[in-house]
Amino acid sequence: MPDYTVILVCVAVVVVFSLLLMLLSRYKKCPSDKIMVIYGRVGTTADGAARPARCVHGGAAFILPVVQAYEYLDLTPLSISVDLKNALSKQNIRIDVPSRFTVGISTEQGIMQNAAERLLGLKLSEVQELAKDIIFGQLRLVIATMDIEEINTDRDKFLEAVSRNVETELRKIGLRLINVNVTDINDESGYIQALGREAAAKAINDAKKSVAEQDRDGSVGEANARRDQRIKVAAADSDAIEGENTAKMKIAASNAQLREKQAEALKIAVSAEKIQEAQAQEAAYAAQKIAENARALKEKATLEADVIVQTEIKKRRMEVEAEADAEQARRRARGDADAIFARMEAEARGTKEVLSRQAEGLSQVVSAAGGEPNSALRLMLADKMEQLMRIQVDAIKNVKFDKITVWDGGASGADGKTATAGFLSGLMKSLPPMNELFEMTGMKLPEFLGKPSDAARTGSAPDEA
């Protein structure tokens, strides 16, 4: 019994120690260069909605087992090179603005929550590409609202506008702008270079003007000294006049040089303006040409689609109708052929059956005649004799004579018959005699029906009709 107690105590100690280790392992500390994002069941917001995540920067937090998990967001700054080209300024002049931006994940509470919701799980390279896209768009937007003179001369204003716009957009995804460095600004038209030459010319003119003013002051002082000297020495008047004339000549020469430089600067500015107008018109003509070509291609494609599609539909319909007619003709022909074949097959079977029955009957007749074909033939003719006689009688049965006129002069012919008797005899001879009909069948007329005369055997007519 004491042994079981020790075992239970040991087991309880092990379980408690394991639970303690597990709880200690769920207590996570956040490094200073990272943000720990705890997600899962992390509580609710002020309006009662479930919080998507809880951010911890510095310090530590306890991660509940099963219902919570955590990941880190790296606070390492990202240096992004933005080589912006052909950005359109407010003056419709395209410029190149190569620059470098440094961004990082913000540690402000609201912005840090945005980073946890939108950047968690992304690599630094992916975050960099996302920020680069935002910077490109905002940089183009700022350039489109400013003149080239403002961008080139007032860099602080330009950087302030860029920082303000970019910072606003980056905060939406949890980033903050650390630094902006614009290396240089160039344009293909040479407008910025023209502005530089104009500024240089202006500086030179200002320097020359300052020199002239100093010369003028010196001349004035010299004139004043000579004036005092003329008071004392009358002979000094000529020198004073000469000095004044010399000063006037210098002033005139300086003014002439100033006007010349101003004219050159004006010429350069007008040339740059004309160049920009020409390039703008050229771009407009090129865009109009592209639009016209696109419209022509669209109209051509539409026309081709209308004609070709309708033609293909008509062709396909004709092919389908032709195939349907051909299939219908083939089926009709097969039906007619099957009907003809069935009819001919039925007729052949009927003919075969009739011939078979006739053959059986003939075989029985021959057997009844004792196997003699001639006797069988006579039996068959004797059986058909009544029909043959009826046919003979029917040949003249329906012959009607409304009126027969015989012109008989009473004279006898070579055979001693009158014309009337010859007519009646010839009419009766037009039918085969019964005796001859029996003889054709190989039989003899019974004697009770009468015996044939010699004249009948020879085929001559009797003397009397």
Side-chain angles (χ1 to χ4, degrees):
M1 190 67 182
D3 295 335
Y4 290 124
T5 304
V6 174
I7 293 173
L8 291 175
V9 171
C10 293
V11 171
V13 171
V14 170
V15 171
V16 172
F17 186 71
S18 299
L19 290 175
L20 182 62
L21 288 178
M22 184 185 68
L23 293 175
L24 291 177
S25 65
R26 300 299 295 177
Y27 187 75
K28 300 296 180 181
K29 295 180 289 295
C30 178
S32 60
D33 61 342
K34 296 182 185 297
I35 296 175
M36 183 170 62
V37 180
I38 303 172
Y39 55 90
R41 294 184 61 87
V42 293
T44 58
T45 59
D47 55 358
R51 295 178 60 185
R54 181 164 63 91
C55 299
V56 177
H57 177 230
F62 182 76
I63 310 299
L64 294 177
V66 181
V67 296
Q68 290 182 350
Y70 71 97
E71 289 187 20
Y72 289 106
L73 287 174
D74 197 346
L75 296 178
T76 302
L78 301 175
S79 180
I80 302 173
S81 177
V82 180
D83 191 10
L84 182 62
K85 294 183 178 296
N86 295 327
L88 193 64
S89 66
K90 185 178 180 180
Q91 298 165 312
N92 293 328
I93 299 176
R94 297 190 177 276
I95 62 175
D96 299 338
V97 184
S99 57
R100 181 170 292 276
F101 289 75
T102 304
V103 300
I105 296 176
S106 177
T107 56
E108 297 180 17
Q109 287 298 326
I111 311 305
M112 189 165 51
Q113 189 70 25
N114 293 339
E117 294 177 2
R118 294 176 174 83
L119 303 180
L120 186 64
L122 296 180
K123 299 180 180 178
L124 289 178
S125 58
E126 295 174 344
V127 176
Q128 186 174 4
E129 289 298 324
L130 180 61
K132 187 174 182 180
D133 294 337
I134 295 175
I135 292 171
F136 262 113
Q138 295 302 315
L139 190 59
R140 287 183 182 275
L141 180 62
V142 172
I143 292 174
T145 59
M146 298 181 67
D147 295 332
I148 294 181
E149 289 82 356
E150 293 178 332
I151 298 173
N152 189 39
T153 57
D154 195 352
R155 291 292 181 90
D156 293 337
K157 180 180 179 181
F158 173 64
L159 293 178
E160 181 182 357
V162 170
S163 300
R164 183 174 59 255
N165 286 26
V166 172
E167 178 77 16
T168 301
E169 296 300 320
L170 290 179
R171 289 168 66 91
K172 296 178 181 179
I173 62 172
L175 299 177
R176 62 182 296 268
L177 183 63
I178 299 175
N179 184 34
V180 180
N181 185 18
V182 178
T183 57
D184 197 3
I185 299 176
N186 298 315
D187 66 314
E188 297 180 355
S189 61
Y191 184 73
I192 296 177
Q193 294 181 358
L195 291 176
R197 288 194 297 269
E198 180 183 3
K202 183 178 180 181
I204 293 173
N205 291 333
D206 291 341
K208 290 182 178 180
K209 181 179 179 181
S210 178
V211 172
E213 289 176 353
Q214 294 296 327
D215 292 341
R216 182 196 60 192
D217 294 339
S219 299
V220 170
E222 184 179 358
N224 290 330
R226 288 181 178 179
R227 183 194 60 187
D228 295 337
Q229 186 179 3
R230 280 202 307 272
I231 295 173
K232 295 179 181 180
V233 181
D237 291 339
S238 60
D239 295 335
I241 294 173
E242 183 179 359
E244 290 179 358
N245 292 333
T246 302
K248 290 179 179 180
M249 290 176 62
K250 290 181 180 180
I251 292 172
S254 177
N255 291 331
Q257 290 179 358
L258 176 61
R259 287 194 296 271
E260 181 181 358
K261 296 299 181 181
Q262 289 177 348
E264 289 181 357
L266 180 62
K267 179 180 179 182
I268 292 172
V270 172
S271 299
E273 183 179 358
K274 295 297 183 182
I275 290 172
Q276 294 302 320
E277 291 179 357
Q279 289 180 351
Q281 291 180 356
E282 182 180 359
Y285 293 153
Q288 184 177 3
K289 181 178 180 182
I290 293 172
E292 292 294 333
N293 292 335
R295 185 177 62 82
L297 292 176
K298 179 182 178 182
E299 293 179 354
K300 180 180 178 184
T302 303
L303 181 60
E304 290 180 353
D306 293 340
V307 174
I308 293 175
V309 168
Q310 294 297 329
T311 305
E312 289 293 334
I313 293 174
K314 185 176 181 182
K315 177 182 176 184
R316 183 58 182 168
R317 183 173 63 250
M318 293 176 66
E319 291 178 354
V320 171
E321 291 177 355
E323 291 178 359
D325 294 340
E327 182 63 23
Q328 186 177 4
R330 286 194 294 270
R331 293 184 178 182
R332 190 183 299 111
R334 284 197 296 268
D336 295 340
D338 293 340
I340 294 172
F341 179 76
R343 186 177 66 253
M344 293 181 68
E345 186 178 9
E347 292 177 355
R349 287 197 299 268
T351 303
K352 179 180 179 182
E353 186 66 22
V354 171
L355 293 176
S356 298
R357 296 298 182 183
Q358 289 179 354
E360 292 177 0
L362 291 175
S363 177
Q364 292 177 3
V365 171
V366 172
S367 298
E372 291 293 334
N374 293 328
S375 299
L377 181 60
R378 283 193 292 272
L379 288 174
M380 292 175 63
L381 291 175
D383 181 62
K384 301 295 182 180
M385 184 57 66
E386 182 181 357
Q387 297 180 6
L388 293 175
M389 294 301 294
R390 185 179 293 111
I391 292 172
Q392 292 294 327
V393 173
D394 291 340
I396 61 172
K397 176 180 179 181
N398 296 323
V399 177
K400 295 181 180 181
F401 298 96
D402 292 338
K403 183 179 181 182
I404 298 175
T405 303
V406 180
W407 298 95
D408 190 356
S412 303
D415 53 1
K417 295 181 181 180
T418 62
T420 301
F423 169 73
L424 294 174
S425 176
L427 180 61
M428 296 303 295
K429 287 181 180 180
S430 63
L431 296 174
M434 187 177 294
N435 185 38
E436 292 179 1
L437 183 62
F438 272 80
E439 288 180 355
M440 284 189 297
T441 61
M443 296 183 295
K444 294 181 180 181
L445 187 67
E447 292 181 0
F448 65 87
L449 293 177
K451 294 180 181 180
S453 63
D454 294 337
R457 291 187 182 97
T458 59
S460 62
D463 294 339
E464 295 179 359

